[in-house]
Amino acid sequence: MRLIVVGAGIVGSACAYAASVLGADVTLIDANRTGRATSAGAGIISPWSARIDDAAYTNLACSAARAYPALVAGLAGEGETALGYRQAGALMLADSTQQQEEINQRLLARQAEWPEMGDISLLDPGQARELFPPLRPDARAVHIGGAARVDGRLISAALRRVAGRNGATVIPGDAQLRCAHGAVEGVTVAGELLEADAVVAATGAWTDAFIEPAGLTLGVTAQRGQIVHIGLGLTDTSRWPAILPSDTGHYMLAFDDSRVVAGATRETGAGFDYRVTPSGLAEVLNQALAVAPGLADGTYLETRIGFRPMGPDIRPLLGAVPGTDGLFVATGLGASGLTMGPYAGQLAARAALGLSLPVDLGPFSPVREQ
Amino acid sequence: MRLIVVGAGIVGSACAYAASVLGADVTLIDANRTGRATSAGAGIISPWSARIDDAAYTNLACSAARAYPALVAGLAGEGETALGYRQAGALMLADSTQQQEEINQRLLARQAEWPEMGDISLLDPGQARELFPPLRPDARAVHIGGAARVDGRLISAALRRVAGRNGATVIPGDAQLRCAHGAVEGVTVAGELLEADAVVAATGAWTDAFIEPAGLTLGVTAQRGQIVHIGLGLTDTSRWPAILPSDTGHYMLAFDDSRVVAGATRETGAGFDYRVTPSGLAEVLNQALAVAPGLADGTYLETRIGFRPMGPDIRPLLGAVPGTDGLFVATGLGASGLTMGPYAGQLAARAALGLSLPVDLGPFSPVREQ
Amino acid sequence: MRLIVVGAGIVGSACAYAASVLGADVTLIDANRTGRATSAGAGIISPWSARIDDAAYTNLACSAARAYPALVAGLAGEGETALGYRQAGALMLADSTQQQEEINQRLLARQAEWPEMGDISLLDPGQARELFPPLRPDARAVHIGGAARVDGRLISAALRRVAGRNGATVIPGDAQLRCAHGAVEGVTVAGELLEADAVVAATGAWTDAFIEPAGLTLGVTAQRGQIVHIGLGLTDTSRWPAILPSDTGHYMLAFDDSRVVAGATRETGAGFDYRVTPSGLAEVLNQALAVAPGLADGTYLETRIGFRPMGPDIRPLLGAVPGTDGLFVATGLGASGLTMGPYAGQLAARAALGLSLPVDLGPFSPVREQ
Amino acid sequence: MRLIVVGAGIVGSACAYAASVLGADVTLIDANRTGRATSAGAGIISPWSARIDDAAYTNLACSAARAYPALVAGLAGEGETALGYRQAGALMLADSTQQQEEINQRLLARQAEWPEMGDISLLDPGQARELFPPLRPDARAVHIGGAARVDGRLISAALRRVAGRNGATVIPGDAQLRCAHGAVEGVTVAGELLEADAVVAATGAWTDAFIEPAGLTLGVTAQRGQIVHIGLGLTDTSRWPAILPSDTGHYMLAFDDSRVVAGATRETGAGFDYRVTPSGLAEVLNQALAVAPGLADGTYLETRIGFRPMGPDIRPLLGAVPGTDGLFVATGLGASGLTMGPYAGQLAARAALGLSLPVDLGPFSPVREQ
């Protein structure tokens, strides 16, 4: 079975990796688009704490988190250990003991089903700052021991490399979908047709343009995110937990290299406008400094920009596209791309190869009723 | 007379230029230090509006502004027209008609003596936004017709070039002062002695280190400024006036190339720490957006960092250094370097060459009582 | 008459400027494409020396050079003096006195018709190095006194600004051509139709994509150029002439700010691949150092990349597009864009406005026989 | 025992790490100097192939390589796996079968003593290109199976982090050595004295300035290296061996992230002049393209600059400084810093703590006869 995966972000790279493990004849094609969400995304893996009231979404996100450790171990077995991955925990911030308790209850209610969240503990401000020293002095927190973080660029590249060593072909190029008689024929790259039995569009915010030859529109749009990187000199940040303030949608996380990442704007309607703006930058910095004033004298390193693929609702678009045999999409992961991406890619690979699935993709149908 | 000028910021470049025009044998030496104030400074020339209650300072600053048009014309006569200079006016913002009137009165009180400030007029919010469209809708202003702006890098380079064509030697190098028997001998560069009858230290925030061989300390320190550049696409900003909010010490100005500059932090005690910080960047962006919300969707281009040379008080340090014959300093211009620099450089040149001065330098003595 | 000009490189900016001077109702629209040739181009104005044996081309290029001083003066009259323009001369290098004499004869043969080339003189190696000190010690040269250089970014922006102040509308956006019934209707930008009586496509290497709705193909392709900028510290390079080696197609020129520009690769078939490559960079550096070994210890500043629009032959494509009333193109200027651009833009404006032309555009017909 | 280590390059970081493992009270201080050799160095670990005829040097370098795998394993045990380390082998290039055989013999002669070099095999051109596809088609090679590569920035940071978690204090600052009565007292940082029983100067090319208070000069100078990074898109370079051409002193190596590093210039006398130069860049590119023409169409990413610390001869300066009790140096590793650094740091730690040493430091005495 010849499978073509278009888009080498985390979803497409994971899809090619999974398909290569399953023995498929895989080609992964990437156009190297500016603003790929994977390259800008933060990488917090802590779905248990989300305030999203959608069972299908929650199940997918938590299943994705469950699958992460085995994926990381599998990659390590292939000699790929530099993923920026670390189970450093997360702090959900609370303004009061009451709010702290509410968060605690919400997590405990899910803990039986999702034990991967690890130990849950209530931290007073002093304890919270011990784990993340720049925090404001009065921040209470709930600590989620099983939360992790990952570097989207690194893990995607590692997935691609192992896919390649498993036999997948990984090529640059701007792929155009080719359909005929209600089925995919393959894609053209630089004028040449590459035939395939199935095509997975892991094309992120560019999905609607890619599947246009299939004659339908899925309503995937680009949500711009601006995300700030702050250096902290010689400080060892490698064990710092991710920070999840309660209400703002903003967050922070740290990587090994004395770096804290603060994000992010959620700019709907900005289109593919790859720019750092004064208001976006101010928003991210103000939110970060309000929560972690200890970052004030760090070093501003850079602002990354990503275009998150947003479907018509919170759920990813995952599965076969009706009306065109052999066409599958895996996109719409929004702000959860680095959490759900590897799992979504794996599901897409299995679906495209006609294998059984551990999850019902019905709720994620690309053309579902809303 | 052999004159050595150390430091090719705006003061030193102007000093070398003036001395070359006066026929002196000039050598200008520059160590290309990171964080030179001239390269980061904003460049608003509007001293009449400052709320500084020091007659000597005000006289120097206004005299400097008075001298600018002739300097620009002189450079143009030498084929140097790209200075970023334009008499685009300035808006002093006011929160109320009462404050507007106070500003107006303050300016009018100085207008007889300093007619270069040009026409003064009161603008209602609509008129102010017509001149500077991103302004907040309710900002009243007083318009100062004679205010100008200049690009510090460009004018310094032009002054250096003309000095060179007039016969000055302009060389890179880290000059060390050499004194003996209570007089300057010259400077050493890369181990070689360059002899001189007079040395002008236009060494900015690095002045105390430079004059150490003369055995005294002037108390010049570095005040860090972070200053943000914002692009506005195809917008013609070339005629936009400078913006002087009433109380904050922050300001904005525009250059020809669709660019607005917003600044600046005034960080005392940061030393020569060449970094953009989250708090500094947030401060400048917040101040700019509060005054000019229309900049929100511009493009963040860069943040420049400069180390302003601050003397022990508001006044520059300008003139002979007692105890060491032939040693002169011209520094301590603080946040007014691009306004006063050319004039201060010219005064230093005349002083070093033993010529008459249009201004009494007594109040600016490097070792004055305070 | 409503005129829309698409593309704000030097051709489009000049077209909008010329049309605005002529009183037309002009809108200039620009998509801010990465790799615009105008932003990377070198800017040597010295067409008299080209070894191109095409009378129509030579006439156009020399006419363009003839028109430059008046254009610069006109812009200065509008307060626009920072164009990077200077009549600094050019040196055509020769390996032997014989070659030197051949160059001399070629120039003299054109001097009567094109006196703007200024004085022509033969320089021995010492004289040549006096004008351009980094030259290799044995390079003879022919000096062309009237040659000039210009900064493509600066002059384009100045043309746009004056156009705007003359009443033109200058807006960002990705314009799509709209035609109906054999005539242009205008363009759509972000889904909105802007109607026009005439549209000038000053769309550079992107022209074929832009005019596709008109149903024809002109064969304009992108030729990639990589061009290196080298800093020279405090050296005054403002009067250095351009350097035209005899055979290589490479060249050098200097700008006021102690900067030498060396270029350029001519990469056909690279497409819109915006990258600096090891081979391109090595080629440009090797050529530059062979000619001017004195640049060896300069500072590598950056490499710019431009996509030159190349038509099917050496001549620009300039004039009405048959089959679509109101559609004009002005592109295909290849490596001569900064020399011919302002003039080509002006001709396009006059053609689109139905005015008389000082040049027969027949040889430049977009669909000419070849 | 209170130990202060000055300089957090690979030597100082390894020294602090080793001392922390040994239970010492360690403080590591770093001034974050621009041009630190560790941050620019290539990272090939293959000392067996060097054409250096000095037994002490060879023994130290090969012992250092022998110690690497245990160090990497130790760091992995501390959760530090992202070091850029991989035993990817190395290719020594040969122009002829005769030269190939000579290289082979040289290696075999050392293999009994240094089995870590792994398998040695002769590769014909086809085999060599299979391992490093951009190689020129006619390059024969000798393959060294045990050669490895490492990222200097990553391993230094990892060593620092583990040192910190072991109890070491890691602080930024510009340390000044304090000596009295023939012994170290400690260092001052920002005017404050930090007392110590021993101070290790791991201060690289800045060593002579640092130990000046001890009243002697070691003759350590800065050798500038310019080193070019080339991106290869989606190509999996993670298993590519290092490339060691036979005569040029230039080399190449690859990292996991589709990146090839080509280096380097060896510029003696350039001082601390942190610049990329046209001649340096051309030299590195020309050498790389001559050996590996397949890199021609890669993407030029950046040029890094490092100041290698060079002692008076090829050997490192390692051990106690006579005349000042408690002062030790560990520097002068030249172009082998990333190979020998961790081992040299460990030896310096043991020496400073008065522990037994596995190597006689006599030949490396900082004040040895030459």
Side-chain angles (χ1 to χ4, degrees), chain C residues 275-276 279 286 296 298-300, chain D residues 275-276 279 286 296-300:
Chain C
R275 298 187 299 116
V276 178
S279 57
N286 289 337
T299 301
Y300 170 78
Chain D
R275 296 187 301 117
V276 178
S279 57
N286 289 337
D297 194 43
T299 301
Y300 170 78

Side-chain angles (χ1 to χ4, degrees), chain B residues 241-321:
Chain B
I243 301 296
L244 301 163
S246 46
D247 295 318
T248 63
H250 281 259
Y251 53 78
M252 272 172 285
L253 75 165
F255 283 97
D256 285 8
D257 55 343
S258 302
R259 189 162 44 102
V260 166
V261 178
T265 61
R266 295 169 183 251
E267 301 169 79
T268 304
F272 294 101
D273 187 8
Y274 190 83
R275 297 187 301 115
V276 178
T277 64
S279 57
L281 190 47
E283 175 189 330
V284 174
L285 290 170
N286 288 336
Q287 292 280 356
L289 292 171
V291 168
L295 298 173
D297 194 42
T299 300
Y300 170 78
L301 296 176
E302 64 167 322
T303 301
R304 294 189 185 169
I305 300 157
F307 300 116
R308 299 184 194 99
M310 307 300 288
D313 58 30
I314 184 71
R315 294 185 196 150
L317 283 74
L318 192 52
V321 176

Side-chain angles (χ1 to χ4, degrees), chain C residues 343-357:
Chain C
Y343 194 61
Q346 185 189 7
L347 293 176
R350 294 188 68 89
L353 297 174
L355 302 175
S356 67
L357 294 170

Side-chain angles (χ1 to χ4, degrees), chain C residues 87-144:
Chain C
Q87 215 161 336
L91 298 185
M92 296 203 69
L93 300 190
D95 293 325
S96 63
T97 52
Q98 184 189 342
Q99 194 186 17
Q100 198 179 19
E101 190 49 43
E102 286 165 10
I103 294 167
N104 189 34
Q105 292 305 325
R106 195 161 71 240
L107 287 164
L108 292 179
R110 287 178 173 165
Q111 200 176 30
E113 188 178 4
W114 305 106
E116 300 81 17
M117 72 173 70
D119 288 340
I120 304 301
S121 50
L122 304 192
L123 305 186
D124 67 29
Q127 293 168 314
R129 291 185 86 187
E130 211 166 295
L131 293 178
F132 196 96
L135 268 192
R136 66 174 204 264
D138 62 333
R140 300 183 166 278
V142 180
H143 182 258
I144 305 174

Side-chain angles (χ1 to χ4, degrees), chain B residues 208-237:
Chain B
D208 273 358
F210 176 72
I211 65 165
E212 198 187 10
L216 82 172
T217 297
L218 301 179
V220 177
T221 58
Q223 184 195 59
R224 185 170 65 190
Q226 302 184 45
I227 188 164
V228 172
H229 289 233
I230 298 168
L232 292 179
L234 293 168
T235 306
D236 180 359
T237 59

Side-chain angles (χ1 to χ4, degrees), chain D residues 95-186:
Chain D
D95 293 324
S96 62
T97 53
Q98 185 189 341
Q99 194 186 19
Q100 198 181 20
E101 190 48 43
E102 287 166 7
I103 294 166
N104 189 34
Q105 292 305 324
R106 195 161 72 239
L107 287 163
L108 292 179
R110 286 179 172 165
Q111 198 177 32
E113 188 178 5
W114 305 105
E116 300 83 14
M117 73 174 68
D119 289 339
I120 303 302
S121 50
L122 304 191
L123 305 187
D124 66 29
Q127 294 167 315
R129 290 184 87 187
E130 210 166 298
L131 293 178
F132 195 97
L135 268 191
R136 66 174 204 263
D138 62 332
R140 301 183 163 278
V142 181
H143 182 258
I144 306 174
R149 44 81 173 169
V150 71
D151 182 312
R153 299 179 182 189
L154 291 178
I155 194 169
S156 300
L159 289 163
R160 280 197 300 271
R161 283 195 296 271
V162 179
R165 294 200 293 271
N166 285 345
T169 303
V170 183
I171 55 173
D174 190 355
Q176 313 293 323
L177 181 64
R178 272 276 291 267
C179 308
H181 315 300
V184 296
E185 291 185 311

